Amino acid sequence: MLDALTLDQLRVFVAVVDHGSFRAAARALGRAQSGLSSAILNLETELRLPLFDRSQHRPELTKAGATLLAEARTLLIKADALRAKANGFNQGMESALRVALDPLLPLPDIARVISDFTRAHPGVRVELVTAPMTMALSLVLDGDCDLGLTAAQETDAHIASEAVATFPGMVPVCAGGHPLAAPRDGTVGLTTVDLADHLQIVVADPAADAQAVSYAVFSQQTLRVSDLATKHALILAGAGWGHLPLWLVAADLGEGRLCEVPLAARNGLPGPLLPLYTIRRIDRVRGPAMESLCRLMIAHFGGQPQATSALP
């Protein structure tokens, strides 16, 4: 039994579920709908049970189909990983690497790693794509980027993620002349009530289901931007307050251009450390160039001590 079961049948099965119909799956796979129907029929014959209820307008998973769907996805993931590993044994040096880069990460350190890499591999063209928040995952999953460098922990089964380092994370700041920078009596931090009338500058996540989703929002009034550079400039100009990575504002804080906003939510404690992950699709070959870049990342960041304070 199951000797005639094929990976193609499983891919068709998963595609029909993911796209909602045989017609949509055929369009996504670039194949004839009749071929997909035959593949599902052959799979059901091999398994000796129906996977879809076809009595409705759209095919609905049977109880057995819903149970076997997770197993089918797991088998496809393992097959893709096996194929990628096998292909890696015969692949030469890549001619180019397209890297999705989360701007929250310490860019001066990233720049030094990229500089070391380009000197070691002058024949490999490197392209960096700015990818805020969850955008790095989207770019890697869609195949638009070979590798992602991100602060967001990814749990997608199709992604291989490796932690490289941690760094001081985000600091709530405002300009030195902003009302929130004025000295306050007592030690109690600012609450959402205190912040209600103060404009907060936030970066919206461009990859969150095509809707602008923001994080760590405390004020009722917000001004959304699409990048950290704009946010930084607006906060420096006194337009509002917001969270920025410590590596970006350390000099501003030290020279008084910016002040830390004492949030009650933090209760005087340092902010959480910011992680750095390398991510890639498990079905994409980790060639010599990508391997070299990842090793350089680990060598550069691995020896750096973890910071315990969000302020210098």
Side-chain angles (χ1 to χ4, degrees):
M1 183 180 177
L2 302 185
D3 288 343
L5 186 148
T6 68
L7 290 176
D8 180 69
Q9 291 169 346
L10 296 180
R11 291 192 193 282
V12 170
F13 173 40
V14 171
V16 172
V17 174
D18 288 345
H19 294 282
S21 69
F22 284 87
R23 176 178 298 178
R27 186 164 53 248
L29 296 175
R31 295 169 58 176
Q33 183 175 338
S34 58
L36 268 62
S37 298
S38 297
I40 294 298
L41 286 174
N42 291 336
L43 178 59
E44 290 176 325
T45 299
E46 188 65 26
L47 296 174
R48 300 179 183 177
L49 51 83
L51 297 175
F52 291 102
D53 177 1
R54 298 170 175 80
S55 63
Q56 305 298 321
H57 175 66
R58 289 180 177 273
E60 297 288 341
L61 281 172
T62 62
K63 183 177 180 179
T67 301
L68 293 176
L69 178 62
E71 297 293 335
R73 292 190 191 277
T74 299
L75 285 173
L76 291 174
I77 288 171
K78 289 183 176 180
D80 289 339
L82 176 64
R83 184 179 294 108
K85 185 173 292 187
N87 290 339
F89 285 109
N90 299 317
Q91 176 166 320
M93 183 69 68
E94 303 96 309
S95 61
L97 275 181
R98 188 173 167 88
V99 181
L101 176 60
D102 186 338
L104 289 183
L105 300 180
L107 298 186
D109 291 287
I110 299 291
R112 284 191 283 273
V113 173
I114 297 298
S115 179
D116 291 343
F117 176 83
T118 55
R119 281 196 297 268
H121 305 285
V124 179
R125 178 173 56 83
V126 178
E127 183 176 353
L128 299 178
V129 181
T130 301
M133 298 187 180
T134 59
M135 195 69 177
L137 174 64
S138 298
L139 290 171
V140 173
L141 274 176
D142 292 343
D144 294 325
C145 286
D146 307 296
L147 182 72
L149 304 177
T150 179
Q153 185 174 15
E154 311 300 356
T155 57
D156 192 285
H158 295 87
I159 291 292
S161 176
E162 182 177 4
V164 174
T166 55
F167 298 89
M170 305 289 279
V171 184
V173 294
C174 65
H178 192 279
L180 292 177
R184 289 172 52 84
D185 295 331
T187 59
V188 179
L190 298 170
T191 67
T192 53
V193 175
D194 300 316
L195 297 168
D197 295 328
H198 297 282
L199 185 69
Q200 182 177 356
I201 314 297
V202 298
V203 176
D205 188 345
D209 298 326
Q211 295 182 350
V213 176
S214 304
Y215 304 93
V217 177
F218 294 87
S219 296
Q220 296 299 312
Q221 303 179 52
T222 61
L223 190 161
R224 294 187 176 187
V225 297
S226 60
D227 62 273
L228 282 179
T230 302
K231 181 177 181 178
H232 185 202
L234 287 169
I235 293 175
L236 276 172
W241 73 280
H243 292 79
L244 287 169
L246 177 59
W247 68 264
L248 181 61
V249 299
D252 296 320
L253 289 168
E255 298 172 14
R257 290 186 295 273
L258 292 178
C259 297
E260 184 180 12
V261 176
L263 298 181
R266 293 175 62 157
N267 198 27
L269 297 175
L273 295 175
L274 187 70
L276 191 162
Y277 297 97
T278 61
I279 60 172
R280 64 178 177 85
R281 282 186 62 103
I282 62 170
D283 59 349
R284 294 295 180 94
V285 176
R286 180 166 170 167
M290 186 187 297
E291 180 74 28
S292 177
L293 180 56
C294 290
R295 288 183 181 276
L296 284 172
M297 294 284 296
I298 294 172
H300 180 83
F301 291 106
Q304 294 188 5
Q306 292 187 351
T308 57
S309 173
L311 291 176

